[in-house]
Amino acid sequence: MITKNDDNVSESEQDNSPDKENSSEETKIDDSKSGLNLEQTLEEAIDQKQRALAEAENTRRRASRDIEQTKKYGHISFARDLLEIYDNLERGIKSVPLKKDELSDEIKNFVIGIEMTLEQIKQVFNNNAITQIDPINEKFDYNYHQAMFENETDSVEPGTVIEVMQTGWLLHDRLLRPAMVGVSKKKIK
């Protein structure tokens, strides 16, 4: 028979009961797990922050590089358009007879004006790092030259530029227009 006193266990006995010990161990395990979770969460947050900072730095560098490239090469299509004008002015100068004294004063002044304009364009090209490619007697380079024909000859080494039909142009280190050239090849006997 169970008495009422047996049902009432003292508080000190309850504290020492096996269930209470298990509960306190579980709490310790839970605390250590949550501590690990907190450390893991902290590490993940630090990693995410570092990645975000690295991404921001990469974006800044990429934007800076893009701005620099735009400043350097942004006017490339305009420069290509000017090449046609330069070529036409140069052709006009070359078509003038060598003996300019025989020309009338009006024509002489006109030719002088074209020559001055051509010199001004050359100066503008020079100021903007636009350089001419005139590869006569150089080795053919497909990066800068466009072969229009081959000519058999023994006078120069095969693969040498023997004629320039149209000069090429560079903007800094970027090709605006390849030089159109004739290239030597070995004579077949």
Side-chain angles (χ1 to χ4, degrees), residues 54-91:
E55 182 64 30
E57 180 63 20
N58 289 340
T59 302
R60 187 193 63 75
R61 284 184 190 152
R62 191 171 25 253
S64 176
R65 187 180 64 239
D66 289 348
I67 289 169
E68 182 181 312
Q69 292 291 317
T70 300
K71 285 180 183 177
K72 194 172 182 180
Y73 300 113
H75 57 287
I76 197 165
S77 63
F78 179 68
R80 281 189 180 125
D81 292 342
L82 282 178
L83 294 179
E84 295 299 318
I85 295 168
Y86 178 88
D87 289 341
N88 289 333
L89 288 173
E90 196 172 50
R91 278 195 225 48

PDB file of all heavy atoms in Angstrom, residues 54-91:
ATOM      1  N   ALA A  54      35.033  41.415 -51.673  1.00  0.00           N
ATOM      2  CA  ALA A  54      35.853  41.051 -52.836  1.00  0.00           C
ATOM      3  C   ALA A  54      35.089  41.343 -54.129  1.00  0.00           C
ATOM      4  O   ALA A  54      35.659  41.873 -55.090  1.00  0.00           O
ATOM      5  CB  ALA A  54      36.246  39.576 -52.769  1.00  0.00           C
ATOM      6  N   GLU A  55      33.810  41.033 -54.151  1.00  0.00           N
ATOM      7  CA  GLU A  55      32.978  41.297 -55.326  1.00  0.00           C
ATOM      8  C   GLU A  55      32.882  42.797 -55.594  1.00  0.00           C
ATOM      9  O   GLU A  55      32.972  43.250 -56.730  1.00  0.00           O
ATOM     10  CB  GLU A  55      31.577  40.696 -55.148  1.00  0.00           C
ATOM     11  CG  GLU A  55      30.667  40.885 -56.332  1.00  0.00           C
ATOM     12  CD  GLU A  55      31.153  40.176 -57.590  1.00  0.00           C
ATOM     13  OE1 GLU A  55      31.823  39.133 -57.468  1.00  0.00           O
ATOM     14  OE2 GLU A  55      30.866  40.676 -58.684  1.00  0.00           O
ATOM     15  N   ALA A  56      32.728  43.578 -54.533  1.00  0.00           N
ATOM     16  CA  ALA A  56      32.671  45.036 -54.684  1.00  0.00           C
ATOM     17  C   ALA A  56      33.993  45.570 -55.232  1.00  0.00           C
ATOM     18  O   ALA A  56      34.008  46.445 -56.104  1.00  0.00           O
ATOM     19  CB  ALA A  56      32.338  45.690 -53.344  1.00  0.00           C
ATOM     20  N   GLU A  57      35.107  45.048 -54.743  1.00  0.00           N
ATOM     21  CA  GLU A  57      36.426  45.475 -55.224  1.00  0.00           C
ATOM     22  C   GLU A  57      36.614  45.093 -56.685  1.00  0.00           C
ATOM     23  O   GLU A  57      37.127  45.874 -57.487  1.00  0.00           O
ATOM     24  CB  GLU A  57      37.532  44.856 -54.357  1.00  0.00           C
ATOM     25  CG  GLU A  57      38.926  45.235 -54.762  1.00  0.00           C
ATOM     26  CD  GLU A  57      39.233  46.708 -54.638  1.00  0.00           C
ATOM     27  OE1 GLU A  57      38.531  47.423 -53.893  1.00  0.00           O
ATOM     28  OE2 GLU A  57      40.178  47.171 -55.316  1.00  0.00           O
ATOM     29  N   ASN A  58      36.183  43.883 -57.066  1.00  0.00           N
ATOM     30  CA  ASN A  58      36.274  43.449 -58.459  1.00  0.00           C
ATOM     31  C   ASN A  58      35.424  44.325 -59.363  1.00  0.00           C
ATOM     32  O   ASN A  58      35.843  44.680 -60.468  1.00  0.00           O
ATOM     33  CB  ASN A  58      35.861  41.976 -58.600  1.00  0.00           C
ATOM     34  CG  ASN A  58      36.874  41.038 -58.012  1.00  0.00           C
ATOM     35  OD1 ASN A  58      38.035  41.387 -57.813  1.00  0.00           O
ATOM     36  ND2 ASN A  58      36.441  39.823 -57.698  1.00  0.00           N
ATOM     37  N   THR A  59      34.238  44.670 -58.900  1.00  0.00           N
ATOM     38  CA  THR A  59      33.357  45.542 -59.672  1.00  0.00           C
ATOM     39  C   THR A  59      33.996  46.912 -59.844  1.00  0.00           C
ATOM     40  O   THR A  59      33.950  47.500 -60.927  1.00  0.00           O
ATOM     41  CB  THR A  59      31.991  45.661 -58.979  1.00  0.00           C
ATOM     42  OG1 THR A  59      31.416  44.351 -58.845  1.00  0.00           O
ATOM     43  CG2 THR A  59      31.042  46.540 -59.774  1.00  0.00           C
ATOM     44  N   ARG A  60      34.603  47.434 -58.788  1.00  0.00           N
ATOM     45  CA  ARG A  60      35.267  48.735 -58.866  1.00  0.00           C
ATOM     46  C   ARG A  60      36.418  48.693 -59.873  1.00  0.00           C
ATOM     47  O   ARG A  60      36.560  49.582 -60.713  1.00  0.00           O
ATOM     48  CB  ARG A  60      35.792  49.149 -57.492  1.00  0.00           C
ATOM     49  CG  ARG A  60      36.355  50.575 -57.459  1.00  0.00           C
ATOM     50  CD  ARG A  60      37.150  50.839 -56.194  1.00  0.00           C
ATOM     51  NE  ARG A  60      38.331  50.009 -56.062  1.00  0.00           N
ATOM     52  CZ  ARG A  60      39.464  50.178 -56.764  1.00  0.00           C
ATOM     53  NH1 ARG A  60      39.554  51.128 -57.648  1.00  0.00           N
ATOM     54  NH2 ARG A  60      40.490  49.383 -56.559  1.00  0.00           N
ATOM     55  N   ARG A  61      37.235  47.636 -59.810  1.00  0.00           N
ATOM     56  CA  ARG A  61      38.358  47.496 -60.748  1.00  0.00           C
ATOM     57  C   ARG A  61      37.864  47.367 -62.181  1.00  0.00           C
ATOM     58  O   ARG A  61      38.430  47.963 -63.097  1.00  0.00           O
ATOM     59  CB  ARG A  61      39.191  46.265 -60.396  1.00  0.00           C
ATOM     60  CG  ARG A  61      40.077  46.455 -59.205  1.00  0.00           C
ATOM     61  CD  ARG A  61      40.942  45.225 -58.989  1.00  0.00           C
ATOM     62  NE  ARG A  61      41.630  45.292 -57.735  1.00  0.00           N
ATOM     63  CZ  ARG A  61      41.993  44.254 -57.037  1.00  0.00           C
ATOM     64  NH1 ARG A  61      41.728  43.039 -57.477  1.00  0.00           N
ATOM     65  NH2 ARG A  61      42.624  44.399 -55.890  1.00  0.00           N
ATOM     66  N   ARG A  62      36.811  46.553 -62.382  1.00  0.00           N
ATOM     67  CA  ARG A  62      36.258  46.356 -63.720  1.00  0.00           C
ATOM     68  C   ARG A  62      35.724  47.672 -64.275  1.00  0.00           C
ATOM     69  O   ARG A  62      35.967  48.025 -65.426  1.00  0.00           O
ATOM     70  CB  ARG A  62      35.165  45.291 -63.668  1.00  0.00           C
ATOM     71  CG  ARG A  62      34.692  44.803 -65.000  1.00  0.00           C
ATOM     72  CD  ARG A  62      33.756  43.594 -64.932  1.00  0.00           C
ATOM     73  NE  ARG A  62      33.004  43.411 -63.727  1.00  0.00           N
ATOM     74  CZ  ARG A  62      33.241  42.479 -62.801  1.00  0.00           C
ATOM     75  NH1 ARG A  62      34.241  41.639 -62.956  1.00  0.00           N
ATOM     76  NH2 ARG A  62      32.483  42.374 -61.735  1.00  0.00           N
ATOM     77  N   ALA A  63      35.020  48.435 -63.447  1.00  0.00           N
ATOM     78  CA  ALA A  63      34.486  49.734 -63.878  1.00  0.00           C
ATOM     79  C   ALA A  63      35.627  50.694 -64.205  1.00  0.00           C
ATOM     80  O   ALA A  63      35.565  51.412 -65.211  1.00  0.00           O
ATOM     81  CB  ALA A  63      33.589  50.319 -62.799  1.00  0.00           C
ATOM     82  N   SER A  64      36.653  50.693 -63.389  1.00  0.00           N
ATOM     83  CA  SER A  64      37.803  51.557 -63.633  1.00  0.00           C
ATOM     84  C   SER A  64      38.484  51.192 -64.949  1.00  0.00           C
ATOM     85  O   SER A  64      38.835  52.069 -65.747  1.00  0.00           O
ATOM     86  CB  SER A  64      38.785  51.433 -62.472  1.00  0.00           C
ATOM     87  OG  SER A  64      39.935  52.168 -62.717  1.00  0.00           O
ATOM     88  N   ARG A  65      38.654  49.893 -65.189  1.00  0.00           N
ATOM     89  CA  ARG A  65      39.272  49.429 -66.431  1.00  0.00           C
ATOM     90  C   ARG A  65      38.396  49.788 -67.636  1.00  0.00           C
ATOM     91  O   ARG A  65      38.895  50.227 -68.672  1.00  0.00           O
ATOM     92  CB  ARG A  65      39.512  47.918 -66.371  1.00  0.00           C
ATOM     93  CG  ARG A  65      40.300  47.390 -67.557  1.00  0.00           C
ATOM     94  CD  ARG A  65      40.542  45.893 -67.488  1.00  0.00           C
ATOM     95  NE  ARG A  65      39.289  45.168 -67.560  1.00  0.00           N
ATOM     96  CZ  ARG A  65      38.828  44.327 -66.623  1.00  0.00           C
ATOM     97  NH1 ARG A  65      39.534  44.096 -65.547  1.00  0.00           N
ATOM     98  NH2 ARG A  65      37.685  43.722 -66.766  1.00  0.00           N
ATOM     99  N   ASP A  66      37.076  49.629 -67.490  1.00  0.00           N
ATOM    100  CA  ASP A  66      36.159  49.972 -68.580  1.00  0.00           C
ATOM    101  C   ASP A  66      36.211  51.458 -68.905  1.00  0.00           C
ATOM    102  O   ASP A  66      36.191  51.845 -70.076  1.00  0.00           O
ATOM    103  CB  ASP A  66      34.730  49.561 -68.230  1.00  0.00           C
ATOM    104  CG  ASP A  66      34.529  48.056 -68.252  1.00  0.00           C
ATOM    105  OD1 ASP A  66      35.419  47.333 -68.759  1.00  0.00           O
ATOM    106  OD2 ASP A  66      33.480  47.589 -67.753  1.00  0.00           O
ATOM    107  N   ILE A  67      36.297  52.285 -67.887  1.00  0.00           N
ATOM    108  CA  ILE A  67      36.392  53.731 -68.110  1.00  0.00           C
ATOM    109  C   ILE A  67      37.686  54.068 -68.837  1.00  0.00           C
ATOM    110  O   ILE A  67      37.696  54.856 -69.784  1.00  0.00           O
ATOM    111  CB  ILE A  67      36.278  54.493 -66.769  1.00  0.00           C
ATOM    112  CG1 ILE A  67      34.848  54.410 -66.248  1.00  0.00           C
ATOM    113  CG2 ILE A  67      36.716  55.946 -66.920  1.00  0.00           C
ATOM    114  CD1 ILE A  67      34.684  54.896 -64.820  1.00  0.00           C
ATOM    115  N   GLU A  68      38.770  53.443 -68.410  1.00  0.00           N
ATOM    116  CA  GLU A  68      40.065  53.679 -69.054  1.00  0.00           C
ATOM    117  C   GLU A  68      40.028  53.246 -70.519  1.00  0.00           C
ATOM    118  O   GLU A  68      40.518  53.956 -71.399  1.00  0.00           O
ATOM    119  CB  GLU A  68      41.149  52.906 -68.305  1.00  0.00           C
ATOM    120  CG  GLU A  68      42.537  53.126 -68.851  1.00  0.00           C
ATOM    121  CD  GLU A  68      43.567  52.310 -68.091  1.00  0.00           C
ATOM    122  OE1 GLU A  68      43.544  52.331 -66.847  1.00  0.00           O
ATOM    123  OE2 GLU A  68      44.376  51.640 -68.759  1.00  0.00           O
ATOM    124  N   GLN A  69      39.435  52.071 -70.799  1.00  0.00           N
ATOM    125  CA  GLN A  69      39.334  51.580 -72.172  1.00  0.00           C
ATOM    126  C   GLN A  69      38.461  52.503 -73.021  1.00  0.00           C
ATOM    127  O   GLN A  69      38.769  52.750 -74.189  1.00  0.00           O
ATOM    128  CB  GLN A  69      38.749  50.155 -72.180  1.00  0.00           C
ATOM    129  CG  GLN A  69      39.648  49.111 -71.583  1.00  0.00           C
ATOM    130  CD  GLN A  69      40.863  48.838 -72.427  1.00  0.00           C
ATOM    131  OE1 GLN A  69      40.771  48.732 -73.634  1.00  0.00           O
ATOM    132  NE2 GLN A  69      42.013  48.751 -71.794  1.00  0.00           N
ATOM    133  N   THR A  70      37.384  52.997 -72.438  1.00  0.00           N
ATOM    134  CA  THR A  70      36.501  53.895 -73.172  1.00  0.00           C
ATOM    135  C   THR A  70      37.220  55.194 -73.515  1.00  0.00           C
ATOM    136  O   THR A  70      37.094  55.708 -74.625  1.00  0.00           O
ATOM    137  CB  THR A  70      35.229  54.189 -72.349  1.00  0.00           C
ATOM    138  OG1 THR A  70      34.552  52.952 -72.101  1.00  0.00           O
ATOM    139  CG2 THR A  70      34.300  55.125 -73.082  1.00  0.00           C
ATOM    140  N   LYS A  71      37.980  55.725 -72.570  1.00  0.00           N
ATOM    141  CA  LYS A  71      38.748  56.940 -72.842  1.00  0.00           C
ATOM    142  C   LYS A  71      39.786  56.701 -73.931  1.00  0.00           C
ATOM    143  O   LYS A  71      40.026  57.551 -74.778  1.00  0.00           O
ATOM    144  CB  LYS A  71      39.449  57.427 -71.572  1.00  0.00           C
ATOM    145  CG  LYS A  71      38.529  58.086 -70.579  1.00  0.00           C
ATOM    146  CD  LYS A  71      39.304  58.526 -69.351  1.00  0.00           C
ATOM    147  CE  LYS A  71      38.388  59.125 -68.310  1.00  0.00           C
ATOM    148  NZ  LYS A  71      39.134  59.487 -67.089  1.00  0.00           N
ATOM    149  N   LYS A  72      40.412  55.531 -73.884  1.00  0.00           N
ATOM    150  CA  LYS A  72      41.492  55.229 -74.815  1.00  0.00           C
ATOM    151  C   LYS A  72      40.984  54.875 -76.209  1.00  0.00           C
ATOM    152  O   LYS A  72      41.567  55.295 -77.210  1.00  0.00           O
ATOM    153  CB  LYS A  72      42.311  54.063 -74.243  1.00  0.00           C
ATOM    154  CG  LYS A  72      43.635  53.837 -74.908  1.00  0.00           C
ATOM    155  CD  LYS A  72      44.432  52.802 -74.135  1.00  0.00           C
ATOM    156  CE  LYS A  72      45.795  52.578 -74.736  1.00  0.00           C
ATOM    157  NZ  LYS A  72      46.568  51.587 -73.985  1.00  0.00           N
ATOM    158  N   TYR A  73      39.897  54.101 -76.290  1.00  0.00           N
ATOM    159  CA  TYR A  73      39.437  53.583 -77.575  1.00  0.00           C
ATOM    160  C   TYR A  73      38.019  54.032 -77.944  1.00  0.00           C
ATOM    161  O   TYR A  73      37.473  53.559 -78.933  1.00  0.00           O
ATOM    162  CB  TYR A  73      39.471  52.050 -77.572  1.00  0.00           C
ATOM    163  CG  TYR A  73      40.840  51.491 -77.338  1.00  0.00           C
ATOM    164  CD1 TYR A  73      41.129  50.794 -76.168  1.00  0.00           C
ATOM    165  CD2 TYR A  73      41.849  51.648 -78.270  1.00  0.00           C
ATOM    166  CE1 TYR A  73      42.394  50.270 -75.950  1.00  0.00           C
ATOM    167  CE2 TYR A  73      43.113  51.132 -78.064  1.00  0.00           C
ATOM    168  CZ  TYR A  73      43.378  50.443 -76.896  1.00  0.00           C
ATOM    169  OH  TYR A  73      44.612  49.932 -76.688  1.00  0.00           O
ATOM    170  N   GLY A  74      37.433  54.921 -77.196  1.00  0.00           N
ATOM    171  CA  GLY A  74      36.044  55.323 -77.441  1.00  0.00           C
ATOM    172  C   GLY A  74      35.823  55.993 -78.783  1.00  0.00           C
ATOM    173  O   GLY A  74      34.733  55.947 -79.342  1.00  0.00           O
ATOM    174  N   HIS A  75      36.835  56.608 -79.330  1.00  0.00           N
ATOM    175  CA  HIS A  75      36.692  57.336 -80.588  1.00  0.00           C
ATOM    176  C   HIS A  75      37.199  56.527 -81.789  1.00  0.00           C
ATOM    177  O   HIS A  75      37.505  57.085 -82.834  1.00  0.00           O
ATOM    178  CB  HIS A  75      37.432  58.679 -80.484  1.00  0.00           C
ATOM    179  CG  HIS A  75      38.882  58.571 -80.150  1.00  0.00           C
ATOM    180  ND1 HIS A  75      39.343  58.226 -78.902  1.00  0.00           N
ATOM    181  CD2 HIS A  75      39.983  58.744 -80.919  1.00  0.00           C
ATOM    182  CE1 HIS A  75      40.661  58.201 -78.916  1.00  0.00           C
ATOM    183  NE2 HIS A  75      41.073  58.511 -80.110  1.00  0.00           N
ATOM    184  N   ILE A  76      37.207  55.226 -81.668  1.00  0.00           N
ATOM    185  CA  ILE A  76      37.769  54.385 -82.728  1.00  0.00           C
ATOM    186  C   ILE A  76      36.961  54.473 -84.026  1.00  0.00           C
ATOM    187  O   ILE A  76      37.535  54.549 -85.111  1.00  0.00           O
ATOM    188  CB  ILE A  76      37.932  52.919 -82.249  1.00  0.00           C
ATOM    189  CG1 ILE A  76      38.867  52.148 -83.167  1.00  0.00           C
ATOM    190  CG2 ILE A  76      36.602  52.215 -82.135  1.00  0.00           C
ATOM    191  CD1 ILE A  76      39.354  50.844 -82.564  1.00  0.00           C
ATOM    192  N   SER A  77      35.640  54.503 -83.946  1.00  0.00           N
ATOM    193  CA  SER A  77      34.844  54.571 -85.181  1.00  0.00           C
ATOM    194  C   SER A  77      34.997  55.939 -85.841  1.00  0.00           C
ATOM    195  O   SER A  77      35.040  56.042 -87.070  1.00  0.00           O
ATOM    196  CB  SER A  77      33.380  54.252 -84.901  1.00  0.00           C
ATOM    197  OG  SER A  77      32.834  55.203 -84.031  1.00  0.00           O
ATOM    198  N   PHE A  78      35.106  56.996 -85.043  1.00  0.00           N
ATOM    199  CA  PHE A  78      35.346  58.328 -85.588  1.00  0.00           C
ATOM    200  C   PHE A  78      36.708  58.376 -86.288  1.00  0.00           C
ATOM    201  O   PHE A  78      36.835  58.932 -87.383  1.00  0.00           O
ATOM    202  CB  PHE A  78      35.275  59.366 -84.462  1.00  0.00           C
ATOM    203  CG  PHE A  78      35.534  60.768 -84.913  1.00  0.00           C
ATOM    204  CD1 PHE A  78      34.634  61.419 -85.739  1.00  0.00           C
ATOM    205  CD2 PHE A  78      36.685  61.433 -84.525  1.00  0.00           C
ATOM    206  CE1 PHE A  78      34.874  62.713 -86.165  1.00  0.00           C
ATOM    207  CE2 PHE A  78      36.937  62.720 -84.940  1.00  0.00           C
ATOM    208  CZ  PHE A  78      36.026  63.368 -85.767  1.00  0.00           C
ATOM    209  N   ALA A  79      37.703  57.762 -85.675  1.00  0.00           N
ATOM    210  CA  ALA A  79      39.039  57.734 -86.276  1.00  0.00           C
ATOM    211  C   ALA A  79      39.016  56.968 -87.596  1.00  0.00           C
ATOM    212  O   ALA A  79      39.659  57.384 -88.570  1.00  0.00           O
ATOM    213  CB  ALA A  79      40.034  57.107 -85.309  1.00  0.00           C
ATOM    214  N   ARG A  80      38.276  55.878 -87.660  1.00  0.00           N
ATOM    215  CA  ARG A  80      38.179  55.112 -88.911  1.00  0.00           C
ATOM    216  C   ARG A  80      37.547  55.958 -90.010  1.00  0.00           C
ATOM    217  O   ARG A  80      37.966  55.899 -91.166  1.00  0.00           O
ATOM    218  CB  ARG A  80      37.354  53.846 -88.694  1.00  0.00           C
ATOM    219  CG  ARG A  80      38.119  52.747 -88.038  1.00  0.00           C
ATOM    220  CD  ARG A  80      37.349  51.438 -88.034  1.00  0.00           C
ATOM    221  NE  ARG A  80      38.126  50.415 -87.382  1.00  0.00           N
ATOM    222  CZ  ARG A  80      37.702  49.686 -86.370  1.00  0.00           C
ATOM    223  NH1 ARG A  80      36.481  49.843 -85.897  1.00  0.00           N
ATOM    224  NH2 ARG A  80      38.475  48.773 -85.832  1.00  0.00           N
ATOM    225  N   ASP A  81      36.534  56.726 -89.657  1.00  0.00           N
ATOM    226  CA  ASP A  81      35.893  57.598 -90.642  1.00  0.00           C
ATOM    227  C   ASP A  81      36.861  58.664 -91.148  1.00  0.00           C
ATOM    228  O   ASP A  81      36.852  59.018 -92.330  1.00  0.00           O
ATOM    229  CB  ASP A  81      34.650  58.256 -90.050  1.00  0.00           C
ATOM    230  CG  ASP A  81      33.529  57.260 -89.790  1.00  0.00           C
ATOM    231  OD1 ASP A  81      33.570  56.143 -90.357  1.00  0.00           O
ATOM    232  OD2 ASP A  81      32.611  57.597 -89.013  1.00  0.00           O
ATOM    233  N   LEU A  82      37.700  59.194 -90.267  1.00  0.00           N
ATOM    234  CA  LEU A  82      38.676  60.210 -90.675  1.00  0.00           C
ATOM    235  C   LEU A  82      39.733  59.654 -91.618  1.00  0.00           C
ATOM    236  O   LEU A  82      40.315  60.407 -92.414  1.00  0.00           O
ATOM    237  CB  LEU A  82      39.356  60.820 -89.449  1.00  0.00           C
ATOM    238  CG  LEU A  82      38.569  61.854 -88.676  1.00  0.00           C
ATOM    239  CD1 LEU A  82      39.356  62.321 -87.466  1.00  0.00           C
ATOM    240  CD2 LEU A  82      38.212  63.035 -89.549  1.00  0.00           C
ATOM    241  N   LEU A  83      39.988  58.362 -91.557  1.00  0.00           N
ATOM    242  CA  LEU A  83      40.998  57.764 -92.434  1.00  0.00           C
ATOM    243  C   LEU A  83      40.625  57.931 -93.903  1.00  0.00           C
ATOM    244  O   LEU A  83      41.490  58.179 -94.744  1.00  0.00           O
ATOM    245  CB  LEU A  83      41.193  56.282 -92.108  1.00  0.00           C
ATOM    246  CG  LEU A  83      41.788  55.964 -90.742  1.00  0.00           C
ATOM    247  CD1 LEU A  83      41.907  54.471 -90.563  1.00  0.00           C
ATOM    248  CD2 LEU A  83      43.120  56.651 -90.547  1.00  0.00           C
ATOM    249  N   GLU A  84      39.355  57.818 -94.211  1.00  0.00           N
ATOM    250  CA  GLU A  84      38.901  57.987 -95.598  1.00  0.00           C
ATOM    251  C   GLU A  84      39.161  59.417 -96.068  1.00  0.00           C
ATOM    252  O   GLU A  84      39.594  59.639 -97.205  1.00  0.00           O
ATOM    253  CB  GLU A  84      37.408  57.653 -95.719  1.00  0.00           C
ATOM    254  CG  GLU A  84      37.072  56.197 -95.445  1.00  0.00           C
ATOM    255  CD  GLU A  84      37.759  55.255 -96.418  1.00  0.00           C
ATOM    256  OE1 GLU A  84      37.819  55.551 -97.630  1.00  0.00           O
ATOM    257  OE2 GLU A  84      38.251  54.212 -95.953  1.00  0.00           O
ATOM    258  N   ILE A  85      38.925  60.371 -95.205  1.00  0.00           N
ATOM    259  CA  ILE A  85      39.175  61.772 -95.550  1.00  0.00           C
ATOM    260  C   ILE A  85      40.672  61.982 -95.771  1.00  0.00           C
ATOM    261  O   ILE A  85      41.086  62.627 -96.736  1.00  0.00           O
ATOM    262  CB  ILE A  85      38.637  62.702 -94.441  1.00  0.00           C
ATOM    263  CG1 ILE A  85      37.117  62.567 -94.369  1.00  0.00           C
ATOM    264  CG2 ILE A  85      39.053  64.142 -94.672  1.00  0.00           C
ATOM    265  CD1 ILE A  85      36.496  63.200 -93.161  1.00  0.00           C
ATOM    266  N   TYR A  86      41.480  61.424 -94.885  1.00  0.00           N
ATOM    267  CA  TYR A  86      42.929  61.531 -95.026  1.00  0.00           C
ATOM    268  C   TYR A  86      43.379  60.936 -96.359  1.00  0.00           C
ATOM    269  O   TYR A  86      44.166  61.542 -97.090  1.00  0.00           O
ATOM    270  CB  TYR A  86      43.624  60.821 -93.856  1.00  0.00           C
ATOM    271  CG  TYR A  86      45.119  60.835 -93.960  1.00  0.00           C
ATOM    272  CD1 TYR A  86      45.852  61.898 -93.447  1.00  0.00           C
ATOM    273  CD2 TYR A  86      45.811  59.801 -94.584  1.00  0.00           C
ATOM    274  CE1 TYR A  86      47.231  61.932 -93.550  1.00  0.00           C
ATOM    275  CE2 TYR A  86      47.179  59.826 -94.699  1.00  0.00           C
ATOM    276  CZ  TYR A  86      47.890  60.890 -94.180  1.00  0.00           C
ATOM    277  OH  TYR A  86      49.244  60.927 -94.291  1.00  0.00           O
ATOM    278  N   ASP A  87      42.876  59.746 -96.682  1.00  0.00           N
ATOM    279  CA  ASP A  87      43.260  59.085 -97.932  1.00  0.00           C
ATOM    280  C   ASP A  87      42.887  59.943 -99.139  1.00  0.00           C
ATOM    281  O   ASP A  87      43.666  60.067-100.088  1.00  0.00           O
ATOM    282  CB  ASP A  87      42.587  57.716 -98.054  1.00  0.00           C
ATOM    283  CG  ASP A  87      43.152  56.695 -97.088  1.00  0.00           C
ATOM    284  OD1 ASP A  87      44.274  56.894 -96.582  1.00  0.00           O
ATOM    285  OD2 ASP A  87      42.455  55.691 -96.830  1.00  0.00           O
ATOM    286  N   ASN A  88      41.695  60.525 -99.127  1.00  0.00           N
ATOM    287  CA  ASN A  88      41.259  61.357-100.253  1.00  0.00           C
ATOM    288  C   ASN A  88      42.123  62.609-100.397  1.00  0.00           C
ATOM    289  O   ASN A  88      42.473  63.001-101.514  1.00  0.00           O
ATOM    290  CB  ASN A  88      39.790  61.732-100.105  1.00  0.00           C
ATOM    291  CG  ASN A  88      38.879  60.553-100.337  1.00  0.00           C
ATOM    292  OD1 ASN A  88      39.219  59.612-101.058  1.00  0.00           O
ATOM    293  ND2 ASN A  88      37.713  60.570 -99.721  1.00  0.00           N
ATOM    294  N   LEU A  89      42.456  63.240 -99.286  1.00  0.00           N
ATOM    295  CA  LEU A  89      43.324  64.414 -99.357  1.00  0.00           C
ATOM    296  C   LEU A  89      44.713  64.040 -99.878  1.00  0.00           C
ATOM    297  O   LEU A  89      45.310  64.765-100.685  1.00  0.00           O
ATOM    298  CB  LEU A  89      43.441  65.081 -97.982  1.00  0.00           C
ATOM    299  CG  LEU A  89      42.202  65.814 -97.493  1.00  0.00           C
ATOM    300  CD1 LEU A  89      42.393  66.271 -96.053  1.00  0.00           C
ATOM    301  CD2 LEU A  89      41.872  66.988 -98.393  1.00  0.00           C
ATOM    302  N   GLU A  90      45.214  62.894 -99.426  1.00  0.00           N
ATOM    303  CA  GLU A  90      46.524  62.436 -99.881  1.00  0.00           C
ATOM    304  C   GLU A  90      46.502  62.123-101.379  1.00  0.00           C
ATOM    305  O   GLU A  90      47.441  62.469-102.109  1.00  0.00           O
ATOM    306  CB  GLU A  90      46.945  61.206 -99.070  1.00  0.00           C
ATOM    307  CG  GLU A  90      48.411  60.890 -99.172  1.00  0.00           C
ATOM    308  CD  GLU A  90      48.825  59.802 -98.212  1.00  0.00           C
ATOM    309  OE1 GLU A  90      48.158  58.736 -98.176  1.00  0.00           O
ATOM    310  OE2 GLU A  90      49.823  60.021 -97.494  1.00  0.00           O
ATOM    311  N   ARG A  91      45.439  61.501-101.844  1.00  0.00           N
ATOM    312  CA  ARG A  91      45.321  61.223-103.283  1.00  0.00           C
ATOM    313  C   ARG A  91      45.266  62.529-104.080  1.00  0.00           C
ATOM    314  O   ARG A  91      45.830  62.623-105.176  1.00  0.00           O
ATOM    315  CB  ARG A  91      44.060  60.401-103.565  1.00  0.00           C
ATOM    316  CG  ARG A  91      44.215  58.923-103.336  1.00  0.00           C
ATOM    317  CD  ARG A  91      43.062  58.188-103.990  1.00  0.00           C
ATOM    318  NE  ARG A  91      42.370  57.158-103.359  1.00  0.00           N
ATOM    319  CZ  ARG A  91      41.834  57.027-102.131  1.00  0.00           C
ATOM    320  NH1 ARG A  91      41.896  57.906-101.315  1.00  0.00           N
ATOM    321  NH2 ARG A  91      41.212  56.010-101.706  1.00  0.00           N
TER     322      ARG A  91
END
